[in-house]
Amino acid sequence: MSIADNIKFLRKKAGYTQEQFAQQVGIKRSVVGAYEEGRAEPRLQTLSKIAEVLNTTADAMINQDLTTGKIPGPAGERVKVLSITVDENDRENIELVPQKAAAGYLNGFADPEYVAELPKFRLPMLPGNATYRAFEIHGDSMLPLVSGVIVIGKYLESINDIKNGKTYVLVTQKEGVVYKRVFNYLEERGKLYLVSDNKNYSAYEVDPIDVEEIWEAIAFISIQFPDPNTTTDISLEKLTGMVLNLQDDISNIKKGLERNDS
């Protein structure tokens, strides 16, 4: 595959016209056409800017076929960097990230020395063919799980493996460590949508480039039984509707900005 094919595919998937894309990159529309038709190739500095706008890397634009719908950009590369610890029998520990350590974890998740200092434990009932980590959640956005509950997550290597409607702990550059129900719209919109089970909280979108680690929630530990009065009646269908409404709102905002610019 050529750079031209990658640029054209990712530009269309992101929803940009050639004119809009040219404005984002800071080049002329005719130059975008030349790139996409293979009549010219961008210099490295311009290619880096193109990759930034399209949420990938210059290396991926040059060396990978991005038209498959996969997202092999920076987020896909970073989530494969994982530090672990083992016990005296060479079995992987489950490291615990307490609430007070969540901010530090964002800076130290790839540092073996930092991870080695985290509290550790084992759960013998978990399958031994995966890596697990525990996160103490904060707040009431995921009721009936309350602040202080420990969520056990299974490590996912690829952001493309996220399944709509399941709950995950995401380690993100902008939002920090968050536990949410996630909807994967990478192929359609190039975004993840994070939804709270507590309907008093608004859904929001996350760029894949911001995701550092992904942990699929498989269990939780709590010293409190869930309060039935805090159980929400929100269904997966309602959550999907919230995500779609969010996409519509974002599209309307972008259209309004375009009209104002013109």
Side-chain angles (χ1 to χ4, degrees):
M1 298 300 296
S2 66
I3 295 174
D5 294 319
N6 285 334
I7 292 175
K8 185 175 182 179
F9 175 79
L10 293 179
R11 189 262 302 168
K12 287 186 174 181
K13 187 175 69 172
Y16 292 120
T17 64
Q18 286 190 345
E19 181 65 33
Q20 292 167 341
F21 182 62
Q23 292 176 0
Q24 291 289 322
V25 178
I27 57 180
K28 295 180 179 180
R29 190 209 61 77
S30 58
V31 175
V32 174
Y35 289 162
E36 293 186 352
E37 293 168 12
R39 293 184 284 108
E41 287 193 354
R43 294 184 178 182
L44 184 58
Q45 183 177 2
T46 304
L47 185 62
S48 297
K49 179 60 177 179
I50 289 172
E52 179 184 345
V53 171
L54 296 175
N55 288 330
T56 184
T57 65
D59 181 70
M61 298 285 289
I62 296 170
N63 297 311
Q64 299 186 38
D65 176 7
L66 305 183
T67 66
T68 60
K70 298 294 184 180
I71 308 294
E77 294 165 5
R78 283 196 297 267
V79 293
K80 295 179 182 179
V81 178
L82 184 67
S83 296
I84 62 171
T85 62
V86 296
D87 63 14
E88 63 276 7
N89 297 314
D90 205 32
R91 296 174 300 187
E92 288 188 19
N93 296 308
I94 300 175
E95 295 84 14
L96 170 64
V97 181
Q99 288 182 20
K100 61 182 180 180
Y105 185 79
L106 182 59
N107 296 319
F109 68 92
D111 182 356
E113 293 184 3
Y114 174 86
V115 173
E117 295 299 318
L118 293 172
K120 304 167 188 64
F121 64 98
R122 289 187 54 79
L123 291 176
M125 74 285 294
L126 295 178
N129 60 349
T131 296
Y132 304 96
R133 194 149 292 170
F135 298 85
E136 185 180 8
I137 67 173
H138 176 69
D140 62 352
S141 66
M142 293 298 286
L143 293 176
L145 300 189
V146 297
S147 190
V149 167
I150 295 172
V151 173
I152 310 296
K154 181 177 73 172
Y155 179 67
L156 291 187
E157 290 188 356
S158 174
I159 197 170
N160 297 286
D161 292 335
I162 291 177
K163 295 179 173 59
N164 281 345
K166 287 195 172 184
T167 56
Y168 298 84
V169 175
L170 299 184
V171 181
T172 68
Q173 295 179 23
K174 294 181 180 179
E175 301 294 333
V177 179
V178 295
Y179 171 57
K180 296 292 180 184
R181 200 168 297 278
V182 182
F183 289 80
N184 184 343
Y185 286 91
L186 294 176
E187 291 191 9
E188 300 90 341
R189 304 280 300 180
K191 306 286 185 181
L192 298 175
Y193 290 87
L194 276 57
V195 181
S196 300
D197 284 353
N198 185 342
K199 57 187 176 182
N200 292 323
Y201 290 80
S202 300
Y204 58 95
E205 64 178 20
V206 170
D207 287 324
I209 196 173
D210 291 331
V211 179
E212 300 283 4
E213 286 184 351
I214 308 162
W215 300 87
E216 179 184 356
I218 60 168
F220 69 89
I221 302 171
S222 176
I223 59 172
Q224 295 179 309
F225 284 99
D227 184 350
N229 294 323
T230 65
T231 302
T232 61
D233 60 356
I234 191 165
S235 65
L236 184 58
E237 290 75 15
K238 290 183 179 178
L239 289 171
T240 302
M242 291 169 61
V243 171
L244 295 175
N245 289 336
L246 175 62
Q247 292 184 47
D248 291 339
D249 290 343
I250 293 170
S251 297
N252 291 334
I253 291 171
K254 287 182 177 178
K255 291 178 181 177
L257 292 174
E258 291 169 6
R259 285 194 298 267
N260 291 335
D261 289 341
S262 61

